[in-house]
């Protein structure tokens, strides 16, 4: 079955950087888009970046563009989220998820299109 495991979260000061990793298994890389989402306490889950590893296509939401970058390894099984110039408002649980057949298009950040989710990794940014 599909399994996703996030890592790389932690506590940093404002202006710091983190790189999150999402290691996936149990699916064919050519059939999925992989997205990163975050959910802050008391808020809805927000889509922030997506990747179609087999083509190298990536998309980053305007809310984090210029600070966050999504990438993947050559095999496409590990997707990264590089975050720089972190702000306190970036504090949230960060999740990766797969969207089989890239429903809604490869740029879709509609969480309802995503089929499988990891457990999440916490990012805390202090001022």
């Amino acid at each position: 079955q599909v399994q996703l495991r996030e890592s790389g979260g932690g506590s940093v000061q404002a202006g710091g950087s983190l790189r999150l990793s999402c290691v996936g298994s149990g699916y064919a890389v050519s059939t999925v888009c992989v997205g990163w989402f975050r959910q802050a306490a008391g808020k809805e889950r927000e889509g922030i970046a997506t990747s179609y590893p087999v083509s190298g296509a990536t998309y980053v939401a305007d809310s984090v563009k210029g600070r966050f970058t999504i990438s993947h390894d050559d095999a496409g099984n590990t997707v990264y989220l590089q975050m720089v110039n972190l702000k306190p408002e970036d504090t949230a649980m960060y999740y990766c998820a797969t969207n089989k057949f890239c429903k809604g298009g490869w740029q879709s950040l509609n969480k309802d299109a995503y089929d499988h989710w990891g457990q999440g990794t916490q990012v805390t940014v202090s001022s």
Side-chain angles (χ1 to χ4, degrees):
Q1 72 274 25
V2 176
Q3 291 187 326
L4 299 168
R5 187 176 73 252
E6 304 95 335
S7 63
S11 297
V12 297
Q13 290 191 325
S17 302
L18 286 171
R19 188 176 80 158
L20 307 184
S21 299
C22 171
V23 178
S25 62
Y27 58 86
V29 172
S30 62
T31 66
V32 302
C33 285
V34 181
W36 279 100
F37 294 76
R38 66 183 180 185
Q39 188 165 18
K43 295 189 177 181
E44 291 204 359
R45 194 163 295 191
E46 172 193 17
I48 53 177
T50 183
S51 169
Y52 184 36
V54 73
S55 73
T58 62
Y59 174 76
V60 178
D62 288 343
S63 60
V64 297
K65 192 170 291 183
R67 299 191 298 121
F68 290 13
T69 305
I70 187 170
S71 63
H72 57 87
D73 67 354
D74 289 343
N77 294 104
T78 301
V79 178
Y80 304 101
L81 185 70
Q82 178 70 50
M83 307 184 294
V84 301
N85 191 22
L86 283 161
K87 304 176 181 181
E89 52 264 43
D90 294 318
T91 294
M93 185 72 80
Y94 284 69
Y95 301 90
C96 65
T98 55
N99 173 0
K100 192 170 184 180
F101 303 131
C102 302
K103 295 179 291 295
W106 68 268
Q107 293 180 329
S108 175
L109 288 173
N110 178 358
K111 61 184 183 294
D112 294 331
Y114 286 75
D115 313 285
H116 298 279
W117 295 80
Q119 295 292 317
T121 186
Q122 178 69 37
V123 172
T124 303
V125 184
S126 58
S127 57

